[in-house]
Amino acid sequence: MARPEKSAAIAELEELFRSSNAVLLTEYRGLSVEQLKTLRRSLTGIATYSVVKNTLARIAAKNAGVEGLSEDLVGPTAIAFVSGEAVDAAKALRDFAKENEALVIKNGVMDGAALTVEDVKKLADLESSEVLLAKAAGVLKAPIAKAAQVFNAPALKTVRTIDALREKQEKAA
């Protein structure tokens, strides 16, 4: 690659590192072009999956201030630059790796913290933020609903008592 082309590639990778919520490294050795297309489709809208030159990726990561990837930037490496939910990207990679043993998840970085393979797997096991928010809302709603029932109970009891008295008076008359 000529020097200007390398500089442009480094700048592009550097921007991807800076703009990503998370970065996940994989080894794609043994995957066919069709399998890589399928993987890219599963990551559409969540992440950009790029096969990169290790040296250029090391330089771009260093320039972007991303640490913890250098030791795994060896061999045929592809990087998932996550722009959406990191959980969804980790799930997509994990699910694809289950079906295609040639894909190996190496490590990653999220919010400046290095992730091991186990961390990426734990991330993939998490539920999406929408599900977690819905569960939190349900937990917060339950005490409010109970309080509403407690506050309504005396009024309902009074209404029932008045109805019973009215019915009794109607029968007596």
Side-chain angles (χ1 to χ4, degrees), residues 24-28 31 36 39-40 43 47-51 77-81 93 103-104:
L24 303 172
L25 264 60
T26 62
E27 181 178 317
Y28 65 92
L31 291 176
L36 283 173
L39 177 56
R40 282 191 173 104
L43 291 170
T48 303
Y49 191 73
S50 303
V51 174
T77 303
I79 302 176
F81 295 100
L93 288 172
L103 182 75
V104 176

Side-chain angles (χ1 to χ4, degrees), residues 86-97:
V87 171
D88 295 337
K91 282 181 184 181
L93 288 172
R94 178 201 59 196
D95 294 345
F96 188 84

Side-chain angles (χ1 to χ4, degrees), residues 20-23 86 108-115:
S20 298
N21 300 333
V23 176
V109 172
M110 187 171 88
D111 296 331
L115 300 173

Side-chain angles (χ1 to χ4, degrees), residues 98-109:
K98 281 182 183 176
E99 295 173 15
N100 302 280
E101 294 176 6
L103 182 75
V104 176
I105 300 171
K106 292 182 174 183
N107 70 3
V109 172

Side-chain angles (χ1 to χ4, degrees), residues 68-82:
L69 299 177
S70 296
E71 61 275 356
D72 281 324
L73 284 169
V74 292
T77 303
I79 302 176
F81 295 100
V82 182

Side-chain angles (χ1 to χ4, degrees), residues 44 84 112 114:
T44 301

